Amino acid sequence: GVDQRLVNRFPATVAIRLDALIDSAAALGLPTEPLVLRALEGGAKGVPADRIQTSLGRLLGAMGRARDALGAGTSASDLTTAASALQTGLEPTRLVELRNLRGDRSLTVPLGAYLDLVARGAVAERAWQRVVDLARRNSADREYEQIDVAGLVARQPEDRR
């Protein structure tokens, strides 16, 4: 049946539409909880149902692309963070590069650091190179969390490449 949290948050017709996307994720072997949480977050913020549905569809597609790049055994947290990175424009080949550098270690912290740096104004390519440099050195997760955004921000419009 429909996730009770969706039923409690949305009118029945909306909950059913959102649940159909969540069922699609389950049928594809993708984690469903990130979709439920995204829907609930949108509902709590008063986002119109059609925009929530569009957002869930995008997240579902990005999680599928992340799994295609990283493999079927990828954890839900790595898939979700990788999907967010893809939604910011990161290429799937970059996910493969990071997976190869990190081996069996989680990608959540390095990708989370990348997303945080970009959100704080870092040039995406510079932020990615810093993350990859740490991965090449087999750095501990705490080192990703300590990356200073200062040297990664564009100073001139032409720096934004």
Side-chain angles (χ1 to χ4, degrees):
V2 178
D3 188 299
Q4 195 59 45
R5 295 170 295 175
L6 296 177
V7 172
N8 293 340
R9 169 62 67 183
F10 300 101
T13 56
V14 173
I16 290 168
R17 285 194 344 241
L18 298 177
D19 192 64
L21 282 166
I22 292 162
D23 283 348
S24 295
L28 294 169
L30 294 169
T32 58
E33 190 65 9
L35 295 165
V36 173
L37 295 176
R38 173 80 52 96
L40 294 173
E41 178 186 9
K45 291 179 177 178
V47 176
D50 60 333
R51 282 189 38 217
I52 294 171
Q53 188 172 353
T54 299
S55 175
L56 292 190
R58 286 189 186 126
L59 179 56
L60 174 61
M63 284 195 305
R65 290 192 311 280
R67 192 206 29 219
D68 290 347
L70 296 172
T74 305
S75 73
S77 63
D78 280 1
L79 270 185
T80 305
T81 312
S84 295
L86 291 174
Q87 287 184 297
T88 69
L90 189 72
E91 292 295 323
T93 55
R94 297 283 176 98
L95 297 177
V96 174
E97 175 187 23
L98 187 60
R99 164 54 65 224
N100 290 338
L101 290 169
R102 295 273 295 179
D104 290 337
R105 294 169 56 201
S106 173
L107 305 181
T108 300
V109 171
L111 288 173
Y114 168 77
L115 290 167
D116 181 61
L117 290 166
V118 171
R120 290 170 41 213
V123 175
E125 185 61 27
R126 290 179 188 170
W128 183 254
Q129 287 310 314
R130 186 65 52 89
V131 166
V132 167
D133 288 345
L134 288 175
R136 280 196 182 101
R137 293 196 310 251
N138 204 23
S139 298
D141 284 351
R142 69 180 173 280
E143 293 185 53
Y144 292 91
E145 296 164 353
Q146 296 168 352
I147 298 172
D148 183 9
V149 73
L152 306 175
V153 180
R155 288 170 193 32
Q156 306 292 328
E158 61 270 15
D159 284 349
R160 293 209 175 272
R161 289 173 245 158

